Amino acid sequence: MKSGIMILEMQTSLPKSSTEHLFKVIVIGQFRVGKTSFIQRYVNGLFTENYKATVGVDFAMKTIKWTENDIVRLQFWDIQGQEDTTKMTRAFYKNAAACLIIFDMTSERSFEFCKELKEAVDSEVCDKYEMPIPCILLANKCDLKEWAVTRERVDQFCSECNFLCWKEISVKRNEQLEESVGCLIEVVMERSKDSLEPVSEPELDIHQPPAKSYCCKI
């Protein structure tokens, strides 16, 4: 297991009256669907096809000026995607505020694996209202022609498994990444708007065992 490197996009100056909101976002999916590529593209604007497989969990941070008075800090947890480690990696879901589940639109198996992952998330973590945390399904590699799954099938799956929504994305072309994360932030902020609790860092206990959009519904 490796601890990873936390990457922080710094804001040079923040209004004194601003409120900071810190959210842990878990990013999960089968091996090689593009989880690390998604995070690196969104956080750093970088893309490469040669990332090494994540072992355990890696971390990245992005700071966003959401409104004039709200600063959102997203702490992404990039969790390894080998299917035989799912029971161990559930430990990393603790304290998550939101979830992104990614699959490869050209791989039916990666799509089918999302059901197991969504069930694991729903059973392991909930929000302060004891409700499942917001989760968006992302269909990566939609720029490729060899789709293994139809939109109709993803629509049905998304509804049956209670995802907020699903979006077609291309990390390679940088398509729909900002919109996907923005959709997630909107829902998380709506759920947390009445909370008066101060911002605190989610636990980083890494020593535990291990282009169509479908609109979010708040």
Side-chain angles (χ1 to χ4, degrees):
M1 185 186 305
K2 60 181 179 180
S3 60
I5 300 174
M6 185 170 292
I7 305 163
L8 177 62
E9 179 180 291
M10 299 297 295
Q11 293 286 336
T12 55
S13 62
L14 300 177
K16 292 183 179 179
S17 60
S18 64
T19 301
E20 291 191 26
H21 308 268
L22 176 64
F23 301 120
K24 172 181 174 180
V25 180
I26 54 175
V27 183
I28 55 180
Q30 195 184 43
F31 176 66
R32 293 194 182 282
V33 296
K35 300 185 300 295
T36 301
S37 297
F38 175 92
I39 293 172
Q40 291 299 320
R41 172 71 93 174
Y42 179 73
V43 173
N44 297 316
L46 302 175
F47 176 77
T48 177
E49 297 181 347
N50 299 313
Y51 284 114
K52 293 182 179 179
T54 301
V55 178
V57 60
D58 275 347
F59 312 97
M61 186 79 84
K62 176 101 170 178
T63 301
I64 302 165
K65 186 176 180 182
W66 183 245
T67 69
E68 286 299 318
N69 299 313
D70 292 295
I71 304 301
V72 173
R73 297 167 60 207
L74 299 178
Q75 186 185 80
F76 291 101
W77 285 48
D78 179 6
I79 300 172
Q80 73 179 63
Q82 286 81 356
E83 295 182 44
D84 58 353
T85 64
T86 303
K87 291 184 179 180
M88 292 185 292
T89 56
R90 286 184 180 200
F92 298 131
Y93 300 173
K94 183 180 179 182
N95 295 327
C99 172
L100 294 170
I101 297 182
I102 303 177
F103 73 96
D104 177 349
M105 200 64 162
T106 69
S107 167
E108 183 171 5
R109 179 55 195 151
S110 73
F111 171 68
E112 293 173 346
F113 185 44
C114 293
K115 185 174 190 290
E116 179 180 337
L117 291 173
K118 183 60 163 60
E119 290 173 350
V121 172
D122 288 349
S123 67
E124 293 293 332
V125 62
C126 58
D127 66 14
K128 63 182 180 180
Y129 301 111
E130 301 300 318
M131 297 290 290
I133 61 172
C135 189
I136 291 179
L137 181 65
L138 300 181
N140 190 26
K141 305 184 184 179
C142 286
D143 53 298
L144 302 180
K145 296 180 180 180
E146 301 80 15
W147 287 14
V149 187
T150 64
R151 290 191 178 100
E152 292 75 19
R153 187 176 172 192
V154 182
D155 272 334
Q156 181 179 357
F157 173 74
C158 191
S159 176
E160 290 174 351
C161 294
N162 297 314
F163 283 90
L164 288 173
C165 60
W166 75 278
K167 289 184 179 290
E168 298 175 13
I169 68 169
S170 170
V171 175
K172 185 175 183 179
R173 294 185 178 179
N174 198 21
E175 295 176 352
Q176 292 275 46
L177 275 63
E178 293 281 350
E179 294 84 353
S180 299
V181 177
C183 181
L184 197 64
I185 295 173
E186 184 177 359
V187 177
V188 175
M189 286 290 286
E190 179 68 19
R191 289 194 180 191
S192 65
K193 66 181 181 180
D194 60 341
S195 174
L196 299 178
E197 298 177 0
V199 170
S200 59
E201 293 283 349
E203 295 182 18
L204 287 173
D205 186 3
I206 61 174
H207 301 294
Q208 297 185 61
K212 287 188 178 181
S213 64
Y214 298 77
C215 297
C216 297
K217 299 177 182 179
I218 300 176

